Amino acid sequence: MKYAIPAFSCLLSVGLCLYSVVAQAQPVSKTPPAIVRSSCYMCHSTHGNDPDLAFIPRLAAQNQVYIEEQLKAFRDGSRADPPATIYMWPIAQGLSEKQIKQAAEWFATQAPAEPFPPGSSASEGRAIFLNGVLKADVPACASCHGPQADGNGIFPRLAGQNAQYLLAQLRYFRSGVRNDKNADIMKQVALHLSDSQMNAVANYLSSL
Ligand code: HEC
Ligand code: HEC
């Protein structure tokens, strides 16, 4: 670990450890579960890959464990950023464990969406993603989210995600309003990022 803060080395080793042990073998179902057909599709689209609404995250190929964790965080109210409280809280309240699992499994096994065209700051974003910002004690995003940004387990896939959504989430981690049980790891990262660095890295990620 070549990062400056000892707390980070610790977080990172936990992260990398989890990163390496969580396996990803899932059966692929062709029929969306009832909960996706009756609810999720309205905003996320049936396959989780609709690019039209920038503040709604793409769920296609997102990690199953991460999706389940977030649905529980919406349900218990710990993920409390404004769009979460408005859109996802009412839906998550009514979800059973079985529906959470079924929806998560469905979206996790869908093909990733088409990436977005890279914005002008994407090359700065790439450097942050791969190397971090040493002077500001920002670790490389790739060390937890994976070199292709496809994540694993509790570490979300970021590749091909809407830039506007990613940028908003980085701000919510920084302000502490997104406060679910794994959010503190990201708060430590986001606290040291400037708005323009957040924008650059979000632009880069949406183009992967
Ligand atoms: C009324 C629109 C709407 C519906 C219906 C909806 N969502 Fe969402 N969902 C959103 C929005 C908006 C967000 C972004 C919340 C935020 O910014 O914190 C979101 C976020 C999420 C996230 C977090 C993704 C991430 O990358 O962290 C998951 C998982 C999710 N929704 C799953 C579902 C599932 C499963 C269903 C169906 C049971 C569903 N959603 C139904 C609007 C909706
Ligand atoms: C030490 C490990 C670690 C590092 C380093 C890290 N992340 Fe994360 N990141 C996480 C975890 C864990 C989560 C899930 C947090 C949660 O569940 O609330 C996350 C979530 C996110 C999300 C929310 C995605 C979504 O779908 O809502 C974004 C955006 C993000 N990270 C971007 C970054 C960027 C950009 C960097 C580099 C500047 C970075 N991360 C570095 C561990 C890390």
Side-chain angles (χ1 to χ4, degrees):
M1 293 299 144
K2 58 181 182 200
Y3 307 113
I5 324 176
F8 250 129
S9 319
C10 166
L11 282 175
L12 278 173
S13 30
V14 173
L16 289 174
C17 167
L18 283 169
Y19 188 81
S20 55
V21 296
V22 183
Q24 267 195 324
Q26 285 143 2
V28 179
S29 161
K30 290 211 166 84
T31 319
I35 186 65
V36 171
R37 281 182 279 135
S38 63
S39 165
C40 324
Y41 86 96
M42 285 187 279
C43 297
H44 293 282
S45 78
T46 303
H47 297 277
N49 56 8
D50 196 330
D52 291 342
L53 285 167
F55 68 100
I56 296 183
R58 288 172 155 188
L59 300 178
Q62 185 53 276
N63 305 309
Q64 184 172 341
V65 171
Y66 173 76
I67 296 178
E68 289 176 16
E69 292 285 319
Q70 297 311 306
L71 290 171
K72 289 174 189 166
F74 293 128
R75 195 173 59 181
D76 70 22
S78 55
R79 179 166 168 180
D81 53 278
T85 63
I86 297 166
Y87 296 98
M88 282 307 296
W89 279 20
I91 286 157
Q93 295 314 312
L95 293 177
S96 66
E97 297 299 309
K98 193 173 172 199
Q99 287 170 321
I100 288 181
K101 214 170 180 47
Q102 287 175 333
E105 185 176 38
W106 169 257
F107 288 117
T109 50
Q110 300 309 300
E114 279 294 304
F116 294 90
S120 56
S121 55
S123 64
E124 182 196 348
R126 179 172 187 273
I128 297 171
F129 182 77
L130 294 176
N131 310 320
V133 187
L134 215 55
K135 275 190 271 179
D137 295 328
V138 174
C141 321
S143 64
C144 290
H145 291 279
Q148 315 295 325
D150 52 358
N152 204 340
I154 63 162
F155 303 104
R157 174 189 178 88
L158 304 174
Q161 189 56 278
N162 300 318
Q164 189 183 320
Y165 169 78
L166 292 173
L167 177 60
Q169 297 306 312
L170 288 168
R171 291 189 171 135
Y172 295 143
F173 285 123
R174 189 172 58 187
S175 72
V177 69
R178 182 167 168 180
N179 195 27
D180 50 275
K181 68 179 157 98
N182 298 318
D184 211 40
I185 306 177
M186 267 312 295
K187 182 170 185 174
Q188 301 311 319
V189 176
L191 273 176
H192 303 282
L193 284 173
S194 70
D195 283 350
S196 81
Q197 288 168 331
M198 286 182 177
N199 194 38
V201 78
N203 259 312
Y204 168 66
L205 289 165
S206 72
S207 74
L208 295 182

